[in-house]
Amino acid sequence: MNRIRLLPEHVANQIAAGEVVERPASVVKELVENSLDAKAMRLTVEIQAGGRSLIRVTDDGFGMGKDDALLCLERHATSKIQRAEDLSSIATMGFRGEALPSIASVSRFTLITRERESVEPDGTQIVINGGKIIEVKSAGSAPGTSMEVRQLFFNLPARRKFLRSEETESAHIQHYLTLAALSHPEVAFTFIKDGRIVWQLPSSRIESFDSRLSSIRDRLRTLVGDAKLLTVNVAGELPVVEEGAPCSLRLWGLIGSPGVSRGTREDQHLFVNRRPVENRGLNFALLEGYHTALMKGRYPVCCLFLEVDPAEVDVNIHPAKREVKFHREKAVREFVAEAVRDTLLTFHSAAAPEPTPAQIVQKSNFTAAPVLELISPASLTSIPETTELPNFPRVAKPLANWPEPNPVTVPTTELNASTAGPAPTLPTPSFQAQTHSPVPLLHVPLRLVGVIGRLYVVLESDRGLVLLDQHAAHERILFEQMLKRLEQSEAAPSQRLLLPETIELSPRDSHFLRQNLETLTRLGVGLSEFGEKTFLLDALPPFVKATDPRRFVLELIDELKAAGQGVNTLRVGEHVVAKTVCRHAVKANDPLAPAELENLVEDLRRCTMPYTCPHGRPTLIEMNFRELEKKFGRSA
């Protein structure tokens, strides 16, 4: 007896619907993608009861004739690919031809469409109930397409009961529409929920990169809220592998300035060729780019667009097209991390307009304290972690290759960026970064006003009020000084262990470790092969204390994987450096003289990442005059 048989078509469509249609937001996604592929310039999405009872998507796209309208409801019928080779260079949002028949098989579905170029006044209306065509007739219609989905999962009660509350489902729909609106600012979007207009976004005229970026910034402000964002615009090339040709790529968009973060990835909007995507490699690259600029457990805020040859991206690895895979994943990840890092560094180091000095009014409420004699911090490489360091100076001495700050002539003076000397020279990146950002806080005049709580330094700028955490600021200064000292040597020092340890790893970790033994040697970690999957650990840097060698090596592997190939050779010891400077930076209740505070700000200006401490906490907080006026009720 034959045990294998073909499934009925409606059953096959319902199985496909289980992969494509997870929830009402999945339906909205598929229908909106079809509208965008049809070159719609106006798009209206209407839902009721969180999409359970009604989803209607109306556009002014190309539309369809009667034959195409009927054919689009067949499985694997599509206008976007013709050959198997087309799968390697997909440039449209949809391509499989499964969405419409899958949706129609689990809902009461109505399609009304009319070709944009048609001279006939009538369009086509098709009514489908649970995958069965009920009616096909002519109907009056504006050019474009309207798709209506009612009673989603009415014939699959088991699936329907797994839907969340109306508000939760509505939130998922609104989140996807936010992504679609951000990636297509030239399209006007209207979102209607339960008969009420949630938002109406007009279309933007896109004539240049600046106009596109400006329209995306405006939509972010409308949809997500205002935040301090920096412009990213970086172009580069992926390295050639095997016989492949070089591939150009570009990263552009907006990222949060140092200190701007969220507790989740909710405000990370990532697009590849304007397709909203999820990709773990890109998430790791973002975190790596913000290294030491974010607190642990915090995530960057961004709206980033990666443009790359479609042949370099596989968008066909997920049933709902949510995830993508890159052909050269590692290279793309390193490119994104370097682009983000360089943008953050350029934000502070880029030349700013010379500020006009303001009239100085002396207002000093400081408790006088003697200015400590400047001493050089001892080299970290010669100090075990358990050894107590001598007290660091309260005023960090600038590095040798940076100019000394101008001498202070009065206790309360204007801290002007024009007197701070040139910014440190950054390594020349392998690509060119352009940023169009507001003037950084440390590039404007700052005047000392006082100290509150014997910790927070109050400063005044022409933009408003500035608070500086003297402990966090001194931490950043000492952190960069110590790393600079270690970087001056080609290899970190190494100290032999009394008893070498053997460490057995998984095949994947063994392969990774074998490829990076040279990097680990530069880090001062003595590891050598001791079998197929076993390694011998016989040396560590003197500033690293590893009570559990295997755990240390595994954490080191994870750190190197996250950092990528261009990892700083001192990454293994950075957390120890951060702990050390935390103990010896100025603390709360340490009284500092005005001259010391002025030099602290000057030295902070010379740091490459001055707006956060090594742990990612902010060193400076600004409150502009508009915020102050709001708090005092002087403005709406």
Side-chain angles (χ1 to χ4, degrees):
M1 185 178 69
N2 294 335
R3 296 183 180 181
I4 298 176
R5 63 183 66 88
L6 288 173
L7 287 173
E9 186 178 355
H10 72 279
V11 177
N13 282 337
Q14 288 186 359
I15 292 173
E19 297 177 346
V20 176
V21 185
E22 299 177 50
R23 60 194 333 152
S26 307
V27 175
V28 173
K29 176 180 182 294
E30 298 293 345
L31 299 185
V32 168
E33 285 182 352
N34 280 340
S35 297
L36 294 174
D37 285 338
K39 306 301 180 186
M41 298 306 294
R42 290 192 305 275
L43 219 158
T44 301
V45 178
E46 182 178 356
I47 66 169
Q48 290 179 8
R52 294 166 183 255
S53 61
L54 172 67
I55 296 172
R56 183 186 294 121
V57 176
T58 307
D59 67 58
D60 63 346
F62 291 145
M64 294 177 285
K66 181 178 179 180
D67 292 342
D68 282 347
L70 286 167
L71 192 57
C72 79
L73 296 167
E74 298 292 333
R75 288 193 70 194
H76 307 302
T78 177
S79 63
K80 296 158 191 177
I81 61 172
Q82 296 179 357
R83 302 171 302 169
E85 290 77 14
D86 295 340
L87 286 172
S88 62
S89 56
I90 294 170
T92 54
M93 305 296 285
F95 55 90
R96 294 195 188 113
E98 282 187 303
L100 292 185
S102 298
I103 294 168
S105 70
V106 292
S107 67
R108 305 188 192 279
F109 183 85
T110 303
L111 167 66
I112 303 175
T113 184
R114 177 186 163 202
E115 284 186 289
R116 185 188 289 174
E117 308 298 332
S118 174
V119 295
E120 298 293 331
D122 292 341
T124 301
Q125 177 176 326
I126 302 174
V127 179
I128 300 177
N129 190 348
K132 296 180 181 179
I133 296 180
I134 304 299
E135 185 179 31
V136 180
K137 66 177 183 179
S138 297
S141 170
T145 302
S146 174
M147 296 191 184
E148 185 178 281
V149 178
R150 291 185 179 272
Q151 295 179 312
L152 185 64
F153 298 135
F154 79 98
N155 53 350
L156 291 175
R159 291 292 303 277
R160 190 175 177 87
K161 75 177 183 180
F162 277 97
L163 295 179
R164 303 301 180 188
S165 67
E166 292 182 11
E167 285 304 314
T168 299
E169 298 298 344
S170 297
H172 283 284
I173 292 171
Q174 187 164 346
H175 174 69
Y176 168 73
L177 290 177
T178 297
L179 297 176
L182 288 175
S183 61
H184 294 81
E186 70 280 3
V187 179
F189 279 83
T190 301
F191 178 40
I192 302 173
K193 174 185 169 185
D194 297 324
R196 180 179 61 86
I197 296 177
V198 179
W199 37 254
Q200 245 178 332
L201 302 174
S203 60
S204 299
R205 188 173 180 179
I206 309 299
E207 298 176 335
S208 63
F209 170 77
D210 288 339
S211 62
R212 178 174 290 277
L213 194 68
S214 176
S215 61
I216 290 174
R217 190 186 291 270
D218 290 341
R219 287 202 166 179
L220 265 177
R221 190 178 296 115
T222 302
L223 298 171
V224 180
D226 206 0
K228 296 179 180 177
L229 301 173
L230 309 180
T231 301
V232 180
N233 185 18
V234 179
E237 282 195 352
L238 293 178
V240 179
V241 293
E242 299 173 355
E243 298 180 0
C247 172
S248 60
L249 71 168
R250 182 185 179 200
L251 183 73
W252 62 275
L254 300 163
I255 62 172
S257 58
V260 176
S261 64
R262 288 289 303 271
T264 66
R265 290 193 172 95
E266 187 176 332
D267 280 349
Q268 282 184 11
H269 307 309
L270 299 172
F271 304 85
V272 175
N273 296 338
R274 295 217 289 180
R275 179 191 298 277
V277 301
E278 294 178 8
N279 181 269
R280 290 186 63 193
L282 293 181
N283 291 335
F284 279 123
L286 268 175
L287 288 176
E288 176 61 22
Y290 274 85
H291 181 61
T292 77
L294 283 179
M295 288 186 286
K296 188 175 182 180
R298 305 291 294 181
Y299 296 94
V301 171
C302 70
C303 181
L304 286 175
F305 297 82
L306 181 65
E307 295 177 359
V308 64
D309 184 351
E312 290 288 326
V313 189
D314 186 356
V315 299
N316 198 25
I317 64 169
H318 192 277
K321 305 187 293 291
R322 188 183 302 122
E323 298 177 9
V324 297
K325 186 176 181 180
F326 297 100
H327 177 52
R328 288 175 264 193
E329 184 99 20
K330 188 176 180 182
V332 170
R333 187 164 129 186
E334 290 171 2
F335 171 80
V336 172
E338 190 174 353
V340 171
R341 185 187 305 116
D342 190 73
T343 299
L344 294 173
L345 294 175
T346 305
F347 168 65
H348 174 63
S349 64
E354 185 172 331
T356 304
Q359 183 69 29
I360 306 302
V361 179
Q362 184 168 335
K363 296 179 182 177
S364 180
N365 298 320
F366 299 123
T367 302
V371 179
L372 300 182
E373 180 184 357
L374 298 182
I375 61 174
S376 299
S379 174
L380 183 66
T381 59
S382 60
I383 301 173
E385 187 183 7
T386 54
T387 304
E388 284 297 322
L389 294 178
N391 287 332
F392 277 97
R394 288 177 175 168
V395 183
K397 184 176 180 180
L399 298 176
N401 61 334
W402 284 337
E404 293 281 350
N406 289 347
V408 179
T409 55
V410 292
T412 307
T413 185
E414 183 126 28
L415 297 175
N416 195 317
S418 62
T419 65
T425 303
L426 298 174
T428 303
S430 58
F431 48 80
Q432 185 176 4
Q434 301 173 2
T435 57
H436 304 279
S437 306
V439 178
L441 181 55
L442 288 171
H443 280 224
V444 300
L446 296 174
R447 185 174 65 83
L448 282 166
V449 176
V451 177
I452 56 175
R454 304 187 78 179
L455 171 62
Y456 302 108
V457 182
V458 183
L459 304 160
E460 179 188 10
S461 74
D462 58 354
R463 306 194 308 209
L465 173 71
V466 178
L467 292 176
L468 178 142
D469 183 329
Q470 66 182 31
H471 173 71
H474 200 200
E475 267 191 301
R476 167 56 66 176
I477 294 165
L478 295 180
F479 179 75
E480 293 197 7
Q481 283 188 349
M482 286 187 170
L483 288 185
K484 184 75 173 180
R485 289 174 178 274
L486 292 180
E487 285 172 353
Q488 289 172 352
S489 60
E490 291 185 0
S494 186
Q495 184 174 331
R496 290 279 176 182
L497 299 180
L498 290 176
L499 296 173
E501 296 274 355
T502 55
I503 300 165
E504 188 171 349
L505 302 174
S506 66
R508 183 179 295 179
D509 286 340
S510 300
H511 176 69
F512 177 82
L513 199 57
R514 203 172 287 114
Q515 290 182 319
N516 289 273
L517 286 178
E518 186 179 344
T519 300
L520 292 171
T521 301
R522 289 203 313 271
L523 294 171
V525 179
L527 270 171
S528 57
E529 294 186 60
F530 199 65
E532 186 177 351
K533 296 186 297 181
T534 307
F535 293 81
L536 187 69
L537 177 68
D538 59 5
L540 287 174
F543 50 83
V544 172
K545 303 298 177 186
T547 56
D548 185 344
R550 186 177 188 280
R551 181 178 176 184
F552 166 77
V553 172
L554 289 174
E555 289 178 351
L556 182 58
I557 290 172
D558 292 340
E559 187 78 14
L560 291 178
K561 282 181 178 178
Q565 194 173 22
V567 63
N568 185 319
T569 55
L570 304 171
R571 178 64 57 83
V572 65
E574 275 189 4
H575 66 286
V576 178
V577 176
K579 284 182 183 177
T580 304
V581 299
C582 184
R583 290 201 305 266
H584 299 283
V586 292
K587 304 290 193 301
N589 300 320
D590 285 352
L592 297 182
E596 292 178 299
L597 292 171
E598 289 161 354
N599 282 342
L600 189 70
V601 177
E602 294 295 336
D603 289 342
L604 192 62
R605 279 194 172 112
R606 292 181 173 84
C607 292
T608 57
M609 188 70 72
Y611 299 102
T612 59
C613 77
H615 311 288
R617 291 190 295 269
T619 57
L620 295 150
I621 293 176
E622 182 180 23
M623 186 177 293
N624 59 39
F625 285 119
R626 181 179 298 177
E627 292 175 274
L628 289 172
E629 287 170 354
K630 271 188 177 181
K631 289 186 179 295
F632 282 101
R634 291 179 176 271
S635 66

